[in-house]
Amino acid sequence: MKRFRNYAQRTYETPDGVKLRGHSRGVFLVDRPEERVRQSALQVLANEYGYPAESLLAEVPVARKTPNRGRADILVELPRKHADGHAVVSTEAPAQASEVAYRDAVRGVRSALDSCEPCAKCIQIVVDDVQLTDLVDGAKVPASPLGFTRDRGGMTLVASASRNLGERLPTHLVYRVLGYGMTGREEALAKELALPQWAFRSGASVAFEELTRSVLQPLGLDFGSGLSTTGDDGYGVLYPTATSWLGVLVRADLKSESWTEVTMRSMEDGPTWRATDGRIVVRAGLEGLSKGMRVLVSFMLMEDHDDDDAYGTLISRSEDSYQVRLDDGRQVEATRWLEGDRPWLAGVVDPDTTQSGSKSSERLDTTFVVVECKAPTVPLTDEVLRQGLGYANAREATYLVLVNGNETRSYWLGSGRPQEIVDIPTFEEAVSGQAFKVGVPSPREAPRPLPDDAVERGDMIRLHARARGMGPDVAVRWWGPILRLEDILLDPASVEAPAEGYGVRIVEDLGLCLHAADTAGGKAAGDYRDLLVKDAVGHERVIGLAVGHNAKLVEHPRWGNVRGGARFRVGTADGSKYRLVTTMDLERHLKIVGDRIYMWHDGRVSVKKSRATKAGLLQHVGRSCPDLVRDGKVQLGSVALRGPRERGDVLDWLLRVCSYAVLREQYKAAAGSRKG
């Protein structure tokens, strides 16, 4: 990395001491020499080499779900460029081009199904084509279908408007056609598509999707977005390419004899097989098996057998029969082909394969560069090179960079062994060179804002709410106010720092940052508007604000029933993690009075093994900042429901929320210290 230079790193006076703020994850980090080198390297990759922020990952596990616990300092991840020339359908393309692309997707999926006769019998394309017209601003607007995908309440059809309405419409027109929370317009569209009024169960959907994908994947069919009520019959999407986010709506019947044939063909002819623990084993090249190799034996077709499959070691082989010693000590004879009630050799265990997740979590990116960072006092020895190569090889990277702040070394890894080079490619060189086979990451763009007059136009609110993924259980009357608040947080011009009030000072608007905030129930991922806030004693904190939309869960095997609502999330950078300070149900904590939206909170707290109480928090907030508490509630300000936003209203709302977040943190810390 020839252009490396040490950037000056700003420090922050946090409640936990002096910290750096990470340029990749936006969290506070311990101020160490090695960390300063890492942050400089991130800035160099972005500023000097032009790599987009979304492609730069810091402190990433090298191999998830494996015994390898190593963490790479920096990964440059870029999308794979596929040799078949297929690309994601652009929703900004002309209407005619979008229609052709969708028809091509249907044609490609149909051809793939027809090549597998039993597949065509048990998997039916539900929608070949659709003529779609919507009512927008009182006028009929034709829309071009782009494909189907899953959303928080069911299955949606995504389209683009054929008529140019400027910036008033969202980028995509989204219509839920299966599932929960459908509007009257969507129910009418579902009827036109001959789709039933149908509700899914989360547990059954998970089982249906996993089984269908595991069987179809070895046959070259990319299935996802499954919805089911029983687990053995349901709807899903077949994707035309591995990089497509939209696909063709199909219905699969897993109870039919044809599905049994599909399963048998997948087991025997597929290049891989998925074990019950999620691991992928390799079937290609079974004729080359040798003694001592690790294999998977399947008992799934055998009656009266407790195990579905088991791992073991090959002892010997003859023709298509294999003697295997299982890990539990038993010795079995397995066959290469399915032969009735006999053990079946499912495949060879590849030590580099791990669990294969859902389509949304599959690794469609490729690691282009691995950067190994050391403190300036640590020389770049052969041992450091071996460490970096271990990470780079595990990620199948093209380049490796070693840096310690004083010197850098760059290596090309494409020849099978590291070759030291002068410099790595810039982002422009990487994506424009055919040899690298990497593409441009899809830009993360904020959604188009709701027009100021949209409150009077239900059709406009409907389109924007659905495009944002509004929770399926949110009442329609709250869609406009919730979108209005979300637009304030997404607007880069809404915060004019510095601003001061209620015992805090907003020092700087840090912009939108993608965070997966830690919560008691998992992660609350999304774009948070990060604000650098200084409290009354001079401590600096990052307070992040976001409007989040929850998926609806029905009989989920882990989470049970979860309401698909909309929540106001307040997060903070807590050391190297980002966690939630509080979260509010917006339908409960908003109030509309005239033309204004008021936000409040009841002071509810949830701190395990501490003495924090709702009454104690309200007392602490009222004593520290009396202007925040009235009528036994924390008053968090108000903004206009319609028309232009007033700067003073927005700043008052943000200052109140930030002050409340700081006071909550102070109170919970004090209550936690008094536990026992």
Side-chain angles (χ1 to χ4, degrees):
M1 200 154 60
K2 187 178 180 181
R3 305 182 192 185
F4 179 85
R5 64 187 180 90
N6 287 299
Y7 278 74
Q9 302 298 324
R10 177 178 173 181
T11 58
Y12 298 84
E13 295 285 344
T14 77
D16 297 322
V18 178
K19 297 292 181 71
L20 303 175
R21 182 170 181 267
H23 291 277
S24 172
R25 294 186 291 153
V27 296
F28 286 130
L29 304 165
V30 177
D31 187 2
R32 297 181 290 114
E34 180 181 329
E35 191 61 63
R36 287 179 173 260
V37 173
R38 183 186 295 119
Q39 297 308 314
S40 289
L42 286 166
Q43 290 171 280
V44 167
L45 287 166
N47 300 337
E48 312 296 332
Y49 288 81
Y51 287 96
E54 57 266 25
S55 70
L56 303 178
L57 308 178
E59 283 283 89
V60 179
V62 174
R64 298 181 186 276
K65 300 178 182 178
T66 72
N68 188 342
R69 297 298 181 221
R71 301 179 75 90
D73 284 306
I74 299 172
L75 301 180
V76 179
E77 297 266 286
L78 296 173
R80 298 179 188 274
K81 185 185 294 181
H82 290 267
D84 59 10
H86 291 300
V88 178
V89 175
S90 171
T91 58
E92 299 300 330
Q96 184 177 2
S98 297
E99 287 180 346
V100 171
Y102 179 69
R103 286 198 294 267
D104 284 347
V106 173
R107 189 179 299 113
V109 167
R110 188 180 302 282
S111 175
L113 291 174
D114 289 344
S115 66
C116 171
E117 184 178 349
C119 293
K121 293 180 179 179
C122 59
I123 302 173
Q124 303 297 320
I125 294 177
V126 178
V127 179
D128 282 5
D129 199 0
V130 56
Q131 300 301 316
L132 182 61
T133 300
D134 206 339
L135 189 68
V136 181
D137 283 352
K140 291 184 177 180
V141 178
S144 301
L146 302 173
F148 292 85
T149 190
R150 174 87 175 266
D151 81 341
R152 294 179 174 89
M155 192 73 70
T156 58
L157 169 63
V158 181
S160 64
S162 302
R163 175 183 171 186
N164 182 15
L165 293 179
E167 299 297 312
R168 294 178 58 77
L169 286 177
T171 305
H172 308 115
L173 305 184
V174 181
Y175 305 89
R176 186 172 297 141
V177 293
L178 281 171
Y180 299 94
M182 293 166 61
T183 65
R185 172 70 185 93
E186 291 169 331
E187 290 177 351
L189 176 59
K191 188 174 182 180
E192 292 175 22
L193 300 177
L195 295 174
Q197 292 187 349
W198 184 84
F200 63 87
R201 292 168 52 233
S202 301
S205 297
V206 170
F208 169 74
E209 180 174 341
E210 289 184 350
L211 176 58
T212 309
R213 180 191 297 110
S214 67
V215 172
L216 295 183
Q217 195 173 47
L219 299 177
L221 295 170
D222 192 0
F223 180 88
S225 302
L227 293 176
S228 178
T229 58
T230 62
D232 54 16
D233 175 75
Y235 293 88
V237 173
L238 280 175
Y239 298 92
T241 73
T243 57
S244 298
W245 67 284
L246 298 172
V248 178
L249 182 62
V250 299
R251 183 159 190 171
D253 181 5
L254 311 189
K255 306 184 301 296
S256 65
E257 293 183 4
S258 296
W259 178 254
T260 303
E261 293 182 48
V262 172
T263 302
M264 302 281 278
R265 178 175 295 191
S266 176
M267 293 171 68
E268 288 193 338
D269 298 344
T272 61
W273 180 252
R274 184 177 181 177
T276 53
D277 64 0
R279 193 166 192 169
I280 302 298
V281 295
V282 180
R283 284 193 54 74
L286 287 182
E287 63 278 356
L289 280 180
S290 58
K291 182 179 179 181
M293 296 185 73
R294 295 283 294 165
V295 295
L296 177 75
V297 176
S298 174
F299 304 97
M300 62 183 301
L301 298 182
M302 297 180 63
E303 297 181 2
D304 301 326
H305 203 287
D306 294 335
D307 301 326
D308 283 335
D309 50 38
Y311 293 101
T313 303
L314 183 67
I315 301 174
S316 63
R317 60 164 296 183
S318 59
E319 296 296 331
D320 292 328
S321 177
Y322 305 85
Q323 295 293 327
V324 179
R325 178 173 288 111
L326 302 180
D327 290 347
D328 62 8
R330 291 177 295 161
Q331 182 171 325
V332 298
E333 181 182 8
T335 62
R336 179 175 181 179
W337 310 112
L338 295 168
E339 296 181 9
D341 195 29
R342 296 184 62 185
W344 172 64
L345 191 73
V348 181
V349 177
D350 184 342
D352 294 328
T353 61
T354 58
Q355 287 182 309
S356 176
S358 65
K359 179 180 175 64
S360 61
S361 64
E362 285 175 5
R363 193 170 157 231
L364 298 178
D365 288 348
T366 182
T367 302
F368 191 56
V369 183
V370 170
V371 182
E372 176 64 21
C373 302
K374 296 298 181 184
T377 56
V378 178
L380 302 181
T381 61
D382 289 343
E383 179 59 32
V384 174
L385 174 60
R386 282 192 291 271
Q387 181 183 3
L389 286 173
Y391 298 157
N393 291 334
R395 303 292 296 195
E396 298 180 354
T398 307
Y399 291 94
L400 169 66
V401 174
L402 310 179
V403 58
N404 66 2
N406 298 321
E407 62 174 322
T408 63
R409 293 182 183 175
S410 301
Y411 299 88
W412 178 60
L413 308 178
S415 64
R417 62 185 185 86
Q419 295 185 18
E420 191 162 2
I421 57 177
V422 175
D423 203 1
I424 62 172
T426 64
F427 174 66
E428 184 176 353
E429 291 168 343
V431 298
S432 61
Q434 292 298 318
F436 296 129
K437 294 183 173 56
V438 293
V440 179
S442 300
R444 294 179 57 252
E445 298 178 354
R448 290 176 179 169
L450 194 67
D452 288 339
D453 63 348
V455 174
E456 288 80 23
R457 299 184 180 279
D459 52 315
M460 189 66 71
I461 289 180
R462 167 177 56 83
L463 291 171
H464 279 269
R466 193 62 84 214
R468 308 266 188 104
M470 182 72 68
D473 290 323
V474 178
V476 173
R477 68 189 183 93
W478 289 111
W479 288 6
I482 290 170
L483 293 176
R484 182 80 165 170
L485 294 178
E486 186 174 15
D487 282 342
I488 293 175
L489 299 178
L490 296 174
D491 183 2
S494 63
V495 182
E496 296 182 22
E500 191 167 356
Y502 307 103
V504 297
R505 178 181 176 84
I506 298 178
V507 178
E508 185 181 350
D509 176 13
L510 301 173
L512 289 175
C513 293
L514 178 63
H515 296 296
D518 289 330
T519 72
K523 300 285 186 180
D527 286 316
Y528 288 74
R529 188 63 176 270
D530 278 356
L531 305 173
L532 180 63
V533 176
K534 183 175 289 188
D535 63 22
V537 297
H539 288 155
E540 293 176 302
R541 308 168 187 260
V542 172
I543 302 294
L545 310 177
V547 171
H549 306 284
N550 289 355
K552 184 178 182 67
L553 301 180
V554 180
E555 299 179 24
H556 191 277
R558 181 177 181 184
W559 305 115
N561 297 327
V562 176
R563 185 174 182 274
R567 307 190 73 82
F568 184 65
R569 296 168 177 162
V570 182
T572 187
D574 184 6
S576 61
K577 294 184 178 181
Y578 200 91
R579 61 174 175 79
L580 287 187
V581 175
T582 187
T583 178
M584 311 176 199
D585 184 335
L586 284 173
E587 289 182 272
R588 182 182 178 205
H589 292 100
L590 292 183
K591 180 172 63 174
I592 307 300
V593 180
D595 285 341
R596 298 194 68 79
I597 310 168
Y598 290 83
M599 179 180 283
W600 60 277
H601 195 245
D602 57 8
R604 184 175 302 180
V605 291
S606 177
V607 180
K608 296 181 179 179
K609 299 181 180 180
S610 80
R611 297 182 178 179
T613 64
K614 173 180 172 180
L617 175 60
L618 289 174
Q619 184 180 34
H620 173 72
V621 174
R623 184 172 56 247
S624 303
C625 187
D627 290 340
L628 287 183
V629 179
R630 187 177 71 250
D631 300 329
K633 299 176 181 177
V634 181
Q635 304 297 329
L636 297 175
S638 67
V639 296
L641 177 61
R642 51 175 61 80
R645 297 189 294 267
E646 294 292 334
R647 175 180 178 274
D649 290 344
V650 172
L651 286 179
D652 183 75
W653 173 53
L654 295 175
L655 285 166
R656 284 174 176 267
V657 172
C658 289
S659 177
Y660 182 45
V662 170
L663 294 173
R664 280 183 68 95
E665 289 291 275
Q666 292 174 349
Y667 172 70
K668 289 196 292 185
S673 67
R674 295 196 301 268
K675 66 185 178 182

